[in-house]
Each structure stands twice: as structure tokens, then as C-alpha cells.
Amino acid sequence: GNGDVVYFGGFSGGGGGIAGAIYYYTSGGEWTPTDANTADSAKASGLLGVALGGAITDGILLRGTVTLGDVGDPETIGLPLFLSGTSGMATTTAPAANGDTVRIVGYLLDGTNDMVWFNPDNTFVEVTA
């Protein structure tokens, strides 16, 4: 990844991170995997970053270009990416179930390699179905 990278905090549970996974920064100073369909809205509405490796010393990308885990189908260049209900992932399909949080986190640049422009929007919507 290239962009705004930070090197603070630790991964939740004292373990390592997963490169390409999306995390949120907790009030306890830990990076925890995001989740769009959880009652804990902080997992989707707080400060987000992408782990660049398994250790904090590898960095957390807050904004820029980065390769994420599989973003699903369709993998059409230019599509917006949303937080997924799958922990730490993004998807091209907006969450739609009651209680889900919809937040755009970037745009797909390369569908083959899942390269994205990661730039989480500061706004989010909770679905009420």
C-alpha cells in the first residue's frame, strides 16, 4: 500500500494482524477487525485502516492505494466499496439487513488484484428494515 500510514496501537487480543484486512481503532488503543452487521456501530463508524502486514511496525494505511482481501463480485473498476458483514472485508454490495451499517470505504481500481483507493467516508447510515 501507499498513502497515509500510521504505526501506533496494537492488534486486538495481542496477536498479529492480517495484511489487507480492514480494522477500526478502539477507545482502548487497539486495531480490531471491522464488521458492517454488528450491534457495535463503532466497528463500522470509527477510524478505519488497512493492515499492511501482521505487525503494527508494518503499518496501518488510513488512506491511499492498497490491495484488500477479495471484494467479491462484480469486480468492476470504479465501483464504490462498502464495509462487509464479513469481518475485516470490503464488498461491492452495500449491506442491506436491519441493523447493518452502510459506509463507503473506497473505490475499486483493479478487479483482478483487488487494488483499491481506500478513503473511508466520514458518514455512515444504519439500515432500518
Side-chain angles (χ1 to χ4, degrees), residues 40-82:
D40 181 0
S41 66
K43 286 187 172 186
S45 65
L47 175 64
L48 302 181
V50 177
L52 298 179
I56 289 299
T57 54
D58 295 322
I60 301 285
L61 182 119
L62 301 180
R63 181 181 63 186
T65 55
V66 67
T67 300
L68 293 181
D70 186 21
V71 298
D73 292 321
E75 292 193 353
T76 304
I77 294 172
L79 283 181
L81 295 174
F82 302 89

Side-chain angles (χ1 to χ4, degrees), residues 4-34:
D4 300 337
V5 179
V6 296
Y7 302 91
F8 57 79
F11 288 107
S12 60
I18 299 171
I22 304 171
Y23 291 82
Y24 79 100
Y25 193 58
T26 70
S27 60
E30 293 184 319
W31 293 97
T32 300
T34 60

